[in-house]
Every structure is written in C-alpha cells, then in structure tokens.
Amino acid sequence: MGYKSLSECIIDLEKNGHLIRIKEEVDPYLEMAAIHLSVFEKHGPALLFENVKGSPFKAVSNLFGTLERSKFMFRDSLKSVEELVALRADPMKALKHPLRYAGAGLTAFKALPLKQSLFKNVFQKTTIDQIPQIVHWPMDGGAFITMPQVYTEDIDKPGVMNANLGMYRIQLSGNEYIPNKEIGLHYQIHRGIGVHQTKANAKGNPLKVSVFVGGPPSHPLAAVMPLPEGLSELTFAGALGNRRFRYFYDDEGFCISADADFVITGTVYPHDNKPEGPFGDHLGYYSLTHPFPVMKVHNVYHKKDAIWSFTVVGRPPQEDTSFGALIHEITGAAMPQEIAGLKEVNAVDAAGVHPLLFAIGSERYTPYLKELKPQEILTIANQILGKNQLSLAKYLLIAARQDNEQLSTQNIASFLQHILERIDFSKDLHFYTNTTIDTLDYSGEGLNMGSKVVWAAAGEKKRELEKELPDHFKLDTVRAAAVAMPGVLVLQPEVYKEAAEEKKRIGALKEELKKFDLRGFPLIVLCDDAHFTAANINNLVWVTFTRSNPATDIDGVHDFIENKHWGCNGSLIIDARKKPHHAPELVKDELVEKRIKRLMEPGGSLYGIL
C-alpha cells in the first residue's frame, strides 16, 4: 500500500484485524520486549503501546511478525517490485516479454526519491531521554534502537542516489555515553556505512549520520534489503511503498526523511570510539562490549503524535525471520541471475542466518563422466562466498541439482540428509582459514576473525543413514547420546575446558568410537546438552553451527590422510560445546513475566491473545 506514514499503516492494520492497542502503562525495561516475544510466539498481531512509562511517545512492534501481515502491507506493490528486481538482474526480460513488464516503467518512476522542503515545518524537537528507553534483555548495556534506518552519504559522491540506508543497532544509553549528547553506532563488517566512514576518515572529516525511525513500512524493509549492485535503498523504498521517498536537508546539511516519525542527526569523528554493548543479538547470545563509533547528537526531530518503532531480536525465529522470508520472495530470483549455474541459496534462519548457508547449483563441467563429482558447484561456492553479506557465512553446504531436481534449500532436514548421504569427507571439505566472519559470532579467534568450510556433495548416494543408536552403545567419556536425525549422532561429553586438553579428550573419544560401526552416522556433534540438541532440527543446526569454528572444531580429516582410514568409521566430528565467550543464552525475566499477566486477565489488552 502507498502509506504516507506509519500512523496510516497502523490504522489500516487495526481495521483489518492485524493490530491491537495496549492501553495499560508498560515499562520499557524488559516488559515491552517480553510482551512482544509472547505475542510473536503465538503468531499474534502487531502491538501499539499507547502508554510507555517515562516517555510521551507511543511505540509499535511486531509489524512484520508474520509473513501474512508483511504481504498484506505491500499487497498493492509486491508483484511489481518483484518484476523490477527481476529486470534489474536480467534487463533482457523486458524485450522478451514487453507486455508482462509494461508496468515496470511506472514502478521505476515511483522509485525516484523526491526532494520536498515543505515538510520542514512539521517536525518538532525533543531529546534522546524522551524516546522510549527500551531494554530488551537483562544483560543489555542500555536502551537500544532496534528498527533504525541509518543514512549516510559518500563524501566523494554526495546526494541521495549514492547514499547508504542500513539497519544498524544504536545504543541510546548506558556505558560511557554522555546522556542526550552521545549515542553508540554499531555496524557489522562489510556494511555500506563502513565504506563511507573510511572515505571520511581518510580526509579527516566527520561523517554526517541521520537515523530515521518509523515512517512507512517500506522504509525499514528497504534498509535490510540485500539489493543487487547499483540499486539504491531509497529507490527500493519508493517502489515497494508505492510512494516516492520524500526528503529534505535541514539547516546543518543533514538529510531528513520527510515521512519518518523520528530523525536523529549527528556526526561520527575519525577514530572516535567508545565501548558499545552488551546486547542480546540474533544469534541467540549476548554480543559483548567492544569499541564502536560514537555519534555526537546534533538534533532529535519528531513529528506530532510520532510513534516509535521497535523489534526484539534473539534466537530465531523472531520478527526479523519474517523480514527474511519476505526478502527471499522479492529477491530470491535475483541471485541465480548473478551467479551462473546457481539454482537457489538459503541463509538458514534457524542457525542465525550468517553461520550456515545451503545452496543448490548445476554440475555440468564433465557431462562425459558416468558419475557426477563436485566441480562446478565448487566454482559456484566461491562466488557465493564473495557476495556481500553471504561472505560472512561459516558453513556453506552445496548440492548438485542434477541429483534431485525437487530438492529445496528451504527444507533443512531433507537438504542436510541429502548432503550426508552423498558427501565424501575425505575430499569434499574445502576450508578457508584466517578470514572474516560475522561481527556477532564469537566462535572464532577474535572479533570478525574465524574460518569457513564448504561441504560439496554430488553424485549417487554413498551410504544409508542410521536412525537409531547402535546396539549396546555406551561410552565412558560421554554423559548422554541421542540421534538428532538420520545420520546425525549427538554426544554430550564433559564440559569444554581449554583447547589443548580437549584435543586429548577427543582423541580418547575417537578410540572409543572405533568399537562401533558408525558408517550410518557421517556426522557426530559434540554438545553441552544432547537431549536439547537432538530435540528438533532447529536446535540441531543452531547449536552445531553457531558454537563451532570450522578450522579448529572439525575433526577427522587428518586421521584419514595419515592413517588411510576415516577416524571414526566414516564420521566427521564437530565440537559445538563452545558457547560464545560463555555468554548466557537469552532468557525472559520471570518478574516481568508475572507483571504482564495482568494484561492477559479479562479486560486486559492481551486477553484472548495469549
């Protein structure tokens, strides 16, 4: 829909049963997040908090909480935007099918940003401490903005068409920040804002930053969209929202989104950092305190009756899961157009997105051979790992489409089973060491430092996968064992201590495992809780791929090369016992849970919802 504002979107959602109002006073410290999580887990409606303790502003969350609601908000523009993205990836489609893509020109016109100064008078000013100070998890370092649109321009090519609009968390309070004068700007590696700051630093200039919050729902979605090279986030926001992105510049030269509810302007000076964090993040752990850029606040603008937009992140699935599903629908066809031979790729949400990628590609290099082997899919894998945010993946599992045309990367269990039936771990593992990983991932050697591995599988099935533990399976060094899925054995040894000692203990475990025929279990996962890890496929991939670093936590290959046999009767061991810096998993506060029960009683805003 061509919403002019967040308010207009909220009215539309409420009218159609997609939003409820919470009229009781709620505390931004943990309580609002707990309410959001409870409603999200029930696939409930969007939430408008009308009475936020300590703030004059309303707040809204869970707008994108279900894929159904996300599609509803963009029901008039989704198809045309999908066509526009397809044309950007393959312009020849317009020539081949002129009638089908006749509306693409109009969509493209709507995508052009519109400069309008008449909006200047609709903004008022406030201070940071008047914004809802939402703290999501007990160990968070302060209040954070979790649905921002962070705008920066290229110092060498100023203007909106070369600008970057990204969603990077902002710390509003806590740590060493001077209240109302400084906020923390956290962005992960490989982000567009980093390029802009690097250029500004080189010239010794401060970088101007505008943080937009609220506005039409197309704006935050555009900020997280992995767009094809050369397609601006602002133009995408206009196309998806059926309304051109309106903007102007204030008296200090900061770009202002005319349709945003709030705009925070400020400057980031070269190498001016302060501790930021901790923060309960989307991998399901706390990202810890590290130095990140400080933003010196100039102004905090807001519309009359402005509404603060936020979300809650944590172990998937969360609201950003629906973001991802919608993004996949819009851009899913674009990536195969950019990489020859690629059929599909999926950043697995259940594993925290960046730790694990599934991909399917063609294997056409040697059609004269009777049996397929990984060749072209290795070329495709290298290209995937060179693509923007996909380059942060730790594990890339890629299959040949010729082995099963019906195989889908969206079905985690069947895809993983397909790989395990075919992979030869003696030659189908390909490591990348001393490289970059996700800033939020602490399984590597340091911040942004770790390794990657490609599992490439092609050809006929090499083994039948077992579904039950071997007879009389008992190990002296293991507390518990379970089968998580066909071919995957989960073991719970003693708690992880330190690397040198664990190497000896795993050596002893492998000797014990040689007593059993484990040819039907090509993958063995070591974890802290075997029953939790094996309970479902989401637990399995979350534990396995967020708590391991391929170069240091995969075992078995060396044994095969040196001893001419596979170390554990054909099994690969992944040691996934390292919680990142032993950071706690995110938990809800029990006192907050008790407080929100009042909203669930008859007459309460959440009665009948939870």
Side-chain angles (χ1 to χ4, degrees), residues 308-327:
W308 186 256
S309 180
F310 75 99
T311 187
V312 181
V313 294
R315 183 197 161 183
Q318 299 292 347
E319 185 178 356
D320 52 5
T321 300
S322 298
F323 257 130
L326 185 61
I327 287 169

Side-chain angles (χ1 to χ4, degrees), residues 140-191:
D140 282 358
F144 284 83
I145 308 178
T146 53
M147 194 72 85
Q149 307 144 46
V150 182
Y151 176 95
T152 56
E153 294 186 6
D154 187 326
I155 196 169
D156 293 329
K157 301 175 182 177
V160 295
M161 295 307 291
N162 294 305
N164 178 74
L165 190 71
M167 190 170 286
Y168 320 120
R169 76 178 189 236
I170 307 290
Q171 185 167 350
L172 292 175
S173 63
N175 297 350
E176 300 172 13
Y177 300 119
I178 301 173
N180 292 322
K181 294 183 178 180
E182 295 178 340
I183 57 178
L185 175 59
H186 179 288
Y187 60 85
Q188 294 161 259
I189 194 169
H190 290 213
R191 300 291 182 173

Side-chain angles (χ1 to χ4, degrees), residues 327-374:
I327 287 169
H328 180 77
E329 290 213 2
I330 294 171
T331 65
M335 188 61 71
Q337 294 291 338
E338 295 186 31
I339 299 178
L342 177 64
K343 179 186 178 185
E344 59 180 277
V345 62
N346 175 27
V348 181
D349 181 73
V353 181
H354 288 149
L356 178 64
L357 296 180
F358 287 167
I360 299 172
S362 297
E363 192 53 79
R364 304 165 297 185
Y365 280 180
T366 51
Y368 50 85
L369 292 181
K370 189 173 183 180
E371 183 177 352
L372 290 178
K373 63 179 182 178

